[in-house]
Amino acid sequence: MLNRILKYKKINYLLIVLILVFGVAGLFFKQDKQQRQLNNNVSNKVYDSYGDFEGDGVGAVVLCYHRILEPSKVLSIGQELSENSQLHSFNVSSTEFEKQMEYLVKNKIKVITMDELASRLKKKQIDEKYVVITFDDIDVSMLNNAVPILEKFKLPYTSFIISNTTGDYNSGSQMATWEEIKNIKNKDLLTIGMHTDDMHYQENNIPMLMQKNNMSDFKKDYKRNKLKLKDKLEANAVYYAPPYGAIPKDKAAYLIDQGVKGIYTLENGLVTNKSSKDKVPRVVVTEKSWKNLEKYWESGDVLDEDEKE
Ligand SMILES: [Zn+2]
């Protein structure tokens, strides 16, 4: 009798524990999904307003690209990852990319190197509508589809590299290997930048760089990032792009203290003589933001010679 009661009790406890575990897990899953959808809505709106600088005067636009996909793949990958706002917004097709680069060349918009931008910013000589082209992550699609176009037009560009995930499959993308990066034909056009060694992820929806109490991890990560780029690519990297686009003041101050010459965020804006190197804005390129940029470049902030009279 006593045995039977104990046995039932055990089963009851087990049931209660199971119900609790699944219930709590379900709740988390639901919240996570709602949070992701919320993030999608917010970020898509933000990125759509990117590049809207009409009437803001002269300044450099730092373009930020991620993946440059073959046209047929944009749609399928976009759908597959539609819940991941970052990837969803950040795909540009190679035909679209080629049109954009052609537009810059045809309209004689000066595409300058990262070094030239840093030096102009330092001397407060941003006196024209310049453009700097940047890529985050360096996945294979960028190497295969964007680099040939950049080389064709001889346009300089910067790649911010996550040094611990080269060659890996990471957040839906195949990252380029060190060998593939080394094999880029025209290296004169390429500036290598830092994008953390191994802090390109989030915990509880908060990017690692925005977490508190991990300063010593961050410092070690920076040093590894810098060292690996030196070892593997013989690059002296002095530009930094924080993953997810933001960095707290103390970490930015550390980087500047270490000799970093520019921290490139995802805060929308023009780089002007008033900009600060510890928080340089960029424009995430989407169909909508590119249209905004064309309006800006075509607006009459810079007078033609004959218009000046
Ligand atoms: Zn990234």
Side-chain angles (χ1 to χ4, degrees), residues 66-67 86 136-137 162 195 200 242-244:
H66 288 76
R67 281 136 197 93
Q86 203 200 11
D136 283 6
D137 306 350
I162 317 162
H195 199 40
H200 193 293
Y244 309 96

Coordinates of all heavy atoms in Angstrom, one line a residue, residues 66-67 86 136-137 162 195 200 242-244, ligand 1:
H66 N 26.9 44.0 -46.5 CA 27.2 42.7 -45.9 C 27.4 41.7 -47.0 O 28.5 41.4 -47.4 CB 26.2 42.3 -44.9 CG 26.3 43.1 -43.6 ND1 25.8 44.4 -43.6 CD2 26.8 42.9 -42.4 CE1 26.1 44.9 -42.4 NE2 26.7 44.0 -41.6
R67 N 26.2 41.2 -47.5 CA 26.3 40.1 -48.4 C 25.9 40.6 -49.8 O 24.9 41.3 -49.9 CB 25.4 39.0 -48.0 CG 26.0 38.1 -46.9 CD 25.0 37.8 -45.8 NE 25.8 37.3 -44.6 CZ 26.2 38.1 -43.6 NH1 25.9 39.4 -43.7 NH2 26.9 37.7 -42.6
Q86 N 18.8 41.3 -39.3 CA 20.1 41.8 -39.7 C 20.4 41.3 -41.2 O 20.7 42.0 -42.1 CB 21.2 41.3 -38.8 CG 22.5 42.2 -38.9 CD 23.7 41.5 -38.4 OE1 23.8 40.3 -38.1 NE2 24.7 42.3 -38.3
D136 N 31.1 44.4 -44.0 CA 31.2 43.7 -42.7 C 31.3 42.2 -42.9 O 30.6 41.7 -43.8 CB 30.1 44.1 -41.7 CG 30.3 45.5 -41.2 OD1 31.2 46.2 -41.6 OD2 29.5 45.9 -40.3
D137 N 32.0 41.5 -42.1 CA 32.1 40.1 -42.0 C 33.0 39.3 -43.0 O 33.5 38.3 -42.6 CB 30.7 39.4 -42.1 CG 29.7 40.0 -41.1 OD1 30.1 40.8 -40.2 OD2 28.5 39.7 -41.2
I162 N 35.9 39.3 -39.0 CA 35.8 38.6 -37.7 C 36.9 37.5 -37.8 O 36.7 36.5 -38.5 CB 34.4 37.9 -37.6 CG1 33.3 38.8 -38.1 CG2 34.2 37.4 -36.2 CD1 32.0 38.1 -38.4
H195 N 36.7 43.5 -36.8 CA 35.2 43.3 -36.5 C 35.0 42.3 -35.4 O 34.2 41.5 -35.4 CB 34.6 42.8 -37.8 CG 33.1 43.0 -37.9 ND1 32.4 44.1 -37.4 CD2 32.1 42.2 -38.4 CE1 31.1 44.0 -37.7 NE2 30.9 42.9 -38.2
H200 N 31.2 38.4 -32.0 CA 30.2 38.8 -33.0 C 28.9 38.0 -32.7 O 28.5 37.2 -33.6 CB 30.7 38.6 -34.4 CG 29.9 39.2 -35.5 ND1 28.6 38.9 -35.8 CD2 30.1 40.3 -36.3 CE1 28.1 39.6 -36.7 NE2 29.0 40.5 -37.1
P242 N 32.3 47.8 -34.7 CA 31.7 47.0 -33.7 C 30.5 46.2 -34.3 O 29.7 46.7 -35.1 CB 31.1 47.9 -32.6 CG 31.0 49.3 -33.4 CD 32.0 49.3 -34.5
P243 N 30.4 44.8 -34.1 CA 29.3 44.1 -34.6 C 28.0 44.7 -34.0 O 28.0 45.2 -32.9 CB 29.5 42.7 -33.9 CG 31.0 42.6 -33.7 CD 31.4 44.0 -33.3
Y244 N 27.0 44.6 -34.9 CA 25.6 45.2 -34.6 C 25.7 46.7 -34.5 O 24.7 47.4 -34.1 CB 25.0 44.6 -33.3 CG 25.0 43.1 -33.3 CD1 26.1 42.3 -32.7 CD2 24.0 42.4 -34.0 CE1 26.1 41.0 -32.8 CE2 24.1 41.0 -34.1 CZ 25.1 40.3 -33.5 OH 25.1 38.9 -33.6
Ligands
ZN1 ZN 29.0 41.9 -38.7

